[in-house]
């Protein structure tokens, strides 16, 4: 009796990664350059979502209407996320029809217009308009950058390269806090904080003009010689041959190759439904396990824990953001070694434990009237926050983006990646909009306990549904979904 390991949820079974002429992370300067250029999209994603909390303090000083109206404040913050939902939904289609390169250039134009509009905004409405522009740019970049990187990456380092984009996101958030601190004394404060984001967008626009289109997209669009010319820069001659054969094979087998699939097509085939369920589920769980309650509300949480000084709250937020970036580097180092599943499962276990600590600390704190700086409960809450980030950042930060960049067949990669990124942004919006109300309803301790419950569900989801894609070629991933759709992918098969 033999067990076919490919039929088990976590196994890629006989689909073992090719070992021919393996490329290491640092050895291919061309792919690294392409990743860094595409990653500027991640930097802008992180910067534009991170900068607003600090900028808002000064916008309130300049516009009385904003100061007096909390709905207006929430609108300024959340319109970028609404824009990102639209950008992510449209971005998948733009990627498929016009290519990854044009998708990136379009996002840059939106970033530049949005940043400049915000910088000169004469009133809150124009400011909100600028936030929408920037948000749409963030949404398009959030879909395009991971796919563009994944399609150029050798499969054995794909996870690390796509996670580099996540490092740019967390780095961008950290940078936004630093920039906020730097401009507090400069006349124009928030106008500079929001306006400087145009600079990386201009840099990316110029660099992108010299970058190639994605070789896989070119091949799918029947521009084979152009695709091969790009691949020649990535692989040595042996491996090049192998890659071209795989591409030719995939496009022969794929009846949709070169065609534009619609959003509805995703629901028509079982294997695509399965893949989308997995990808979108991961994206939703990334948000519902609370990362942005920590990123957006860190100073508030620190103050809730009894540390009333604004400076200390901001300093601790800066430390949390720095830890998030350092943790992502650890994720980059691990993702192609231990695989996506193990990393996500270990991350969720730690996240669960940290949330329990946070919940306990806040329930203690609510019993101690007037908790003061240095109280046991206050420090326990800070320890919980730090542990949360230490566990989240290497796993649940990069894994959903990496998995979504690699689990869909070529013809669906844009559209499915876009749809699942939209799920990420919608979930982000729900969590950000409801966090403080839920705290009002069940207390901070109760809220973290609910999120801890969600992290258990997320663990079970990864355990049951997420396949291991470490080192697999796109073709192997596609075959794996076909096997699963045939009903052979959910249980161990014996013969
Ligand atoms: C998430 C963002 C989050 C960031 C925090 C990313 O992977 O998608 O929503 O703000 O990580 O580090």
């Amino acid at each position: 009796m033999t067990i076919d390991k490919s039929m088990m949820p976590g196994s890629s079974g006989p689909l073992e990664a090719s070992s021919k002429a393996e490329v290491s992370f640092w050895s291919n300067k061309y792919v690294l350059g392409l990743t860094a250029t595409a990653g500027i999209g991640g930097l802008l994603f992180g910067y534009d979502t991170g900068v607003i909390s600090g900028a808002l303090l000064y916008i309130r000083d300049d516009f009385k209407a904003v100061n007096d109206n909390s709905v207006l404040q929430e609108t300024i913050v959340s319109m970028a996320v609404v824009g990102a939902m639209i950008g992510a939904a449209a971005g998948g289609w733009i990627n498929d029809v016009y290519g990854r390169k044009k998708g990136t250039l379009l996002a840059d134009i939106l970033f530049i217009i949005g940043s400049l509009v915000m910088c000169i905004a004469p009133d809150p409405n124009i400011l909100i308009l600028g936030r929408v522009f920037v948000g749409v740019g963030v949404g398009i970049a959030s879909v395009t950058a991971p796919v563009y990187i994944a399609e150029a990456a050798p499969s054995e380092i794909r996870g690390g390269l796509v996670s580099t984009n996540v490092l740019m996101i967390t780095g961008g958030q950290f940078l936004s806090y630093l920039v906020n601190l730097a401009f507090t004394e400069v006349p124009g404060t928030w106008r500079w904080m929001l306006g400087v984001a145009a600079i990386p967008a201009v840099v990316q626009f110029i660099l992108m003009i010299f970058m190639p289109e994605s070789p896989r997209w070119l091949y799918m669009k029947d521009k084979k010689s152009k695709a091969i010319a790009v691949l020649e820069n990535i692989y040595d001659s042996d491996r090049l041959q192998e890659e071209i054969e795989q591409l030719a094979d995939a496009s022969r087998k794929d009846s949709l190759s070169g065609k534009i699939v619609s959003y509805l097509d995703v629901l028509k085939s079982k294997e695509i439904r399965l893949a989308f369920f997995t990808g979108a589920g991961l994206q939703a769980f990334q948000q519902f396990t609370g990362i942005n309650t920590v990123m957006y509300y860190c100073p508030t949480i620190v103050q809730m824990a009894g540390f009333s000084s604004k400076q200390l709250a901001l300093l601790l937020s800066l430390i949390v953001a720095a830890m998030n970036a350092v943790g992502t580097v650890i994720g980059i180092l691990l993702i192609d070694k231990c695989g996506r599943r193990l990393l996500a499962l270990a991350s969720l276990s730690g996240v669960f434990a940290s949330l329990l600590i946070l919940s306990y600390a806040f329930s203690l704190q609510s019993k101690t009237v007037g908790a003061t700086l240095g109280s046991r409960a206050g420090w326990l809450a800070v320890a919980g926050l730090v542990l949360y980030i230490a566990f989240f950042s290497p796993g649940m930060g990069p894994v959903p983006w990496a998995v979504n960049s690699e689990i869909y067949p070529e013809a669906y990669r844009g559209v499915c990646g876009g749809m699942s990124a939209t799920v990420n942004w919608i979930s982000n919006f729900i969590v950000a909009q409801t966090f403080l109300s839920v705290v009002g309803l069940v207390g901070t301790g109760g809220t973290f306990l609910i999120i801890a419950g969600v992290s258990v569900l997320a663990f079970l989801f990864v355990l049951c549904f997420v396949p291991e894609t470490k080192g697999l070629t796109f073709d192997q991933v596609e075959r794996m979904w076909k096997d699963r759709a045939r009903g052979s992918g959910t249980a161990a098969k014996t013969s």
Side-chain angles (χ1 to χ4, degrees):
M1 186 173 81
T2 56
I3 306 257
D4 181 349
K5 286 203 196 122
S6 68
M7 303 310 149
M8 296 166 91
S11 169
S12 51
L15 304 173
E16 291 308 334
S18 150
S19 60
K20 201 173 190 182
E22 293 225 330
V23 179
S24 70
F25 188 89
W26 294 108
S27 66
N28 194 314
K29 301 287 174 290
Y30 184 80
V31 175
L32 277 181
L34 183 146
T35 303
T37 306
I40 297 178
L43 185 85
L44 287 160
F45 168 166
Y47 186 87
D48 280 311
T49 51
V51 73
I52 197 67
S53 56
L56 194 62
L57 302 175
Y58 299 92
I59 295 172
R60 275 172 21 193
D61 290 346
D62 278 7
F63 295 131
K64 191 173 173 309
V66 177
N67 197 33
D68 297 345
N69 185 341
S70 61
V71 175
L72 209 51
Q73 290 173 32
E74 280 166 8
T75 313
I76 293 173
V77 175
S78 59
M79 269 307 140
V81 178
V82 173
M85 289 177 204
I86 301 167
W93 177 81
I94 294 169
N95 268 331
D96 283 346
V97 180
Y98 299 104
R100 313 348 183 181
K101 184 170 167 170
K102 290 205 180 103
T104 310
L105 292 171
L106 175 65
D108 284 329
I109 294 174
L110 292 163
F111 280 129
I112 297 167
I113 297 177
S115 307
L116 296 181
V117 166
M118 290 190 294
C119 182
I120 57 166
D123 61 52
N125 293 332
I126 305 284
L127 183 62
I128 291 169
L129 183 73
R131 285 287 286 167
V132 174
F133 268 104
V134 159
V136 178
V138 168
I140 298 177
S142 71
V143 188
T144 312
V147 166
Y148 181 58
I149 296 171
E151 289 185 335
S155 51
E156 61 275 24
I157 52 168
R158 190 176 54 227
L161 288 172
V162 176
S163 303
T164 305
N165 185 53
V166 180
L167 174 62
M168 300 289 267
I169 300 175
T170 50
Q173 286 170 333
F174 178 71
L175 190 71
S176 73
Y177 295 170
L178 281 184
V179 169
N180 277 351
L181 283 176
F183 284 113
T184 49
E185 302 297 327
V186 177
T189 52
W190 61 270
R191 294 186 186 277
W192 291 109
M193 294 171 184
L194 300 174
V196 290
I199 299 172
V202 170
V203 171
Q204 188 183 45
F205 188 90
I206 296 170
L207 290 176
M208 238 9 240
I209 293 174
F210 300 100
M211 288 287 141
E213 181 45 271
S214 153
R216 291 184 174 269
W217 185 82
L218 287 170
Y219 204 94
M220 188 179 72
K221 294 287 170 191
D222 221 16
K223 298 180 179 162
K224 299 202 167 79
S225 50
K226 282 192 181 161
I228 293 169
V230 180
L231 290 172
E232 273 168 353
N233 291 316
I234 305 175
Y235 300 105
D236 65 21
S237 52
D238 266 10
R239 179 83 183 262
L240 177 68
Q241 206 45 46
E242 196 181 295
E243 293 291 326
I244 296 171
E245 276 159 26
Q246 278 171 16
L247 267 177
D249 202 34
S251 82
R252 248 195 320 275
K253 276 193 256 160
D254 192 350
S255 56
L256 287 169
S257 182
K259 303 210 175 66
I260 300 300
V261 297
S262 75
Y263 292 96
L264 278 180
D265 287 331
V266 172
L267 304 175
K268 287 187 189 148
S269 107
K270 187 167 177 202
E271 67 233 43
I272 305 300
R273 278 202 307 271
L274 278 179
F276 178 63
F277 172 72
T278 305
L282 265 178
Q283 291 286 30
F285 277 121
Q286 181 195 60
Q287 295 299 319
F288 284 110
T289 43
I291 178 62
N292 287 320
T293 60
V294 172
M295 293 317 291
Y296 300 166
Y297 295 104
C298 187
T300 317
I301 297 173
V302 170
Q303 286 189 330
M304 285 174 182
F307 299 88
S308 53
S309 142
K310 254 200 200 120
Q311 272 86 354
L312 185 69
L314 286 177
L315 182 69
L316 280 171
S317 320
L318 198 66
I319 296 176
V320 164
M323 279 192 60
N324 197 14
V326 173
T328 318
V329 175
I330 298 175
I332 294 174
L333 298 175
L334 293 180
I335 194 164
D336 291 310
K337 296 204 169 62
C338 8
R340 287 62 168 149
R341 270 170 64 83
L342 186 60
L343 204 53
L345 291 172
S347 168
L348 284 165
S349 312
V351 160
F352 172 69
S354 323
L355 287 165
L356 287 187
I357 296 176
L358 271 167
S359 173
Y360 176 67
F362 277 101
S363 62
L364 267 187
Q365 194 251 10
S366 64
K367 285 179 203 133
T368 348
V369 187
T372 48
L373 175 69
S375 74
R376 199 172 133 248
W379 282 112
L380 199 61
V382 171
L385 261 186
V386 166
L387 276 179
Y388 175 92
I389 284 292
F391 281 106
F392 186 95
S393 53
M396 279 308 277
V399 169
W401 293 112
V403 168
N404 271 284
S405 73
E406 64 192 10
I407 55 170
Y408 306 115
E410 188 65 48
Y412 291 90
R413 199 164 296 131
V415 107
C416 288
M419 282 166 65
S420 68
T422 309
V423 169
N424 181 299
W425 287 109
I426 293 175
S427 313
N428 181 329
F429 185 74
I430 295 173
V431 173
Q433 291 300 107
T434 55
F435 176 66
L436 291 180
S437 335
V438 179
V439 166
L441 229 61
V442 297
T444 319
T447 308
F448 284 122
L449 200 61
I450 296 176
I451 308 181
V454 175
S455 68
V456 175
L457 295 180
F459 186 94
L460 295 174
F461 179 84
V462 174
L463 198 66
C464 299
F465 298 112
V466 178
E468 184 51 72
T469 39
K470 173 184 95 171
L472 296 187
T473 63
F474 286 119
D475 192 37
Q476 289 171 321
V477 176
E478 206 171 328
R479 267 191 281 147
M480 179 201 62
W481 288 120
K482 288 201 172 111
D483 287 346
R484 286 185 171 214
R486 265 187 237 119
S488 46
T490 47
K493 193 176 83 180
T494 53
S495 61

